[in-house]
């Protein structure tokens, strides 16, 4: 009886270990799907973009199966903490405030904040003084939202926040905003396409270059190490450059 129980115990332990090993071979990643060219939904309602290609390349390097799901921006960190997925690859800026809740990998790209305005705008530059009395849009719960509220807002601008960057861009195009603040590469992409007839890039905001990283839970240290190694690997073997070339004509790493 003892041997039977012992054998059964070993069997259960082995099965548990095997299941655990298999679980580590699968990772669920969240992205927003509303931040082109980094992440967006295509005509088939499938996630596409730079973030998605990077996520898939990292999963290939880590030799794990990855499922990428869409998640609204405002709920993206709470859902990570609730363990609905394992990581966020959604152009999330690494900030000290966010580090109070979650952890980040090394950067996988960097970008300054920039400002877009209508082509006939009288606004001369991106300084706070130039935004006095102007309406400035930004996506909520982002570094650009903080800048719009705390820097431009304190200088006398009216900051208006939106659930997505697309909505802020639409209001700028329709004359309901005087300016829109976002990551430079997002505005450049929009101005090449939907915004090309209405608007222009006013310029970068000095001193705002930030880094985007993959967000994970603080306790997932092993996963962080794997992601960091994979980031280094895709940069070293040229995979990163190939992905970058699909979306940008310049280096963003």
């Amino acid at each position: 009886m003892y041997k039977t129980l012992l054998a059964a115990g070993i069997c259960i332990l082995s099965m548990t270990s095997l299941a655990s090993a298999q679980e580590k071979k699968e990772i669920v990643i969240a992205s927003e799907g509303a931040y082109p060219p980094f992440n967006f939904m295509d005509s088939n309602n499938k996630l596409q973009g730079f973030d998605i290609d990077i996520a898939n390349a990292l999963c290939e390097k880590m030799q794990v199966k990855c499922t990428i799901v869409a998640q609204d921006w405002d709920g993206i960190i709470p859902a990570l903490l609730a363990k609905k997925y394992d990581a966020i690859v959604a152009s999330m800026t690494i900030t000290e405030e966010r580090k109070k809740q979650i952890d980040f990998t090394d950067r996988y790209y960097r970008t300054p904040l920039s400002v877009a305005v209508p082509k006939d705008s009288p606004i001369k530059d991106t300084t706070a003084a130039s935004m006095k009395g102007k309406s400035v849009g930004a996506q909520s719960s982002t570094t650009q939202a903080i800048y719009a509220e705390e820097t431009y807002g304190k200088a006398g601008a009216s900051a208006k926040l939106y659930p997505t960057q697309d909505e802020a861009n639409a209001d700028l195009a329709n004359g309901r905003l005087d300016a829109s603040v976002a990551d430079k590469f997002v505005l450049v992409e929009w101005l090449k396409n939907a915004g090309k007839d209405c608007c222009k890039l006013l310029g970068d905001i000095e001193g705002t270059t930030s880094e985007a990283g993959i967000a994970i839970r603080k306790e997932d240290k092993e996963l962080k190490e794997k992601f960091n190694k994979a980031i280094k690997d895709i940069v070293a073997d040229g995979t990163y450059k190939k992905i970058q070339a699909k979306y940008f004509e310049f280096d963003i790493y």
Side-chain angles (χ1 to χ4, degrees):
M1 176 66 75
Y2 175 76
K3 289 182 179 179
T4 302
L5 290 173
L6 180 61
I10 292 171
C11 181
I12 292 169
L13 182 60
S14 298
M15 290 173 65
T16 302
S17 299
L18 179 60
S20 178
Q22 288 174 339
E23 285 171 5
K24 291 179 182 178
K25 290 290 184 181
E26 293 191 23
I27 297 173
V28 181
I29 295 172
S31 198
E32 183 190 12
Y35 205 61
F38 291 97
N39 56 79
F40 57 91
M41 307 301 290
D42 66 13
S43 58
N44 295 316
N45 206 35
K46 184 179 178 182
L47 280 164
Q48 301 286 355
F50 178 81
D51 286 333
I52 311 308
D53 289 355
I54 288 292
N56 284 323
L58 295 175
C59 291
E60 185 175 340
K61 283 294 179 187
M62 294 188 292
Q63 297 184 326
V64 295
K65 177 184 176 182
C66 285
T67 301
I68 304 177
V69 298
Q71 169 67 50
D72 290 345
W73 184 256
D74 284 346
I76 207 164
I77 290 178
L80 174 67
L81 295 174
K83 299 189 176 181
K84 292 185 177 180
Y85 35 78
D86 304 298
I88 300 169
V89 184
S91 293
M92 184 172 285
T93 302
I94 301 168
T95 68
E96 292 305 314
E97 187 64 28
R98 286 176 177 148
K99 282 183 178 180
K100 293 176 183 178
Q101 298 184 75
I102 57 176
D103 200 0
F104 286 95
T105 64
D106 296 337
R107 81 172 193 275
Y108 66 97
Y109 78 85
R110 65 177 75 194
T111 177
L113 292 181
S114 293
V115 177
V117 296
K119 286 186 175 179
D120 60 355
S121 173
I123 302 174
K124 295 181 179 180
D125 55 50
T126 64
T127 61
S130 293
M131 298 297 164
K132 184 178 180 180
K134 306 299 182 184
S135 57
V136 181
Q139 184 178 6
S140 62
S141 302
T142 61
T143 51
Q144 52 264 37
I146 294 170
Y147 196 91
E149 289 186 312
E150 294 188 359
T151 302
Y152 288 156
K154 287 179 180 178
S158 173
K160 187 174 181 182
L161 305 185
Y162 297 81
T164 68
Q165 185 61 41
D166 285 344
E167 291 171 81
N169 291 343
D171 266 9
L172 181 65
N174 292 324
R176 290 190 284 268
L177 286 175
D178 295 310
S180 178
V181 185
D183 289 345
K184 179 178 183 175
F185 308 136
V186 170
L187 289 178
V188 167
E189 179 70 12
W190 180 67
L191 291 168
K192 282 166 50 181
N193 296 288
K196 64 182 178 181
D197 295 327
C198 72
C199 306
K200 65 181 181 180
L201 192 70
L202 183 62
D204 298 345
I205 301 174
E206 187 176 352
T208 62
T209 297
S210 59
E211 298 182 341
I214 298 167
I216 57 173
R217 290 180 291 274
K218 287 187 175 185
E219 63 267 26
D220 292 339
K221 299 186 185 303
E222 184 179 344
L223 182 59
K224 177 181 177 178
E225 290 175 5
K226 288 181 178 179
F227 269 124
N228 282 340
K229 183 179 184 304
I231 291 169
K232 288 183 176 69
D233 288 346
I234 66 169
V235 170
D237 71 6
T239 301
Y240 186 96
K241 276 193 173 182
K242 288 179 182 177
I243 295 172
Q244 178 180 263
K246 285 178 60 178
Y247 302 96
F248 310 105
E249 297 174 355
F250 40 81
D251 181 33
I252 69 170
Y253 183 71

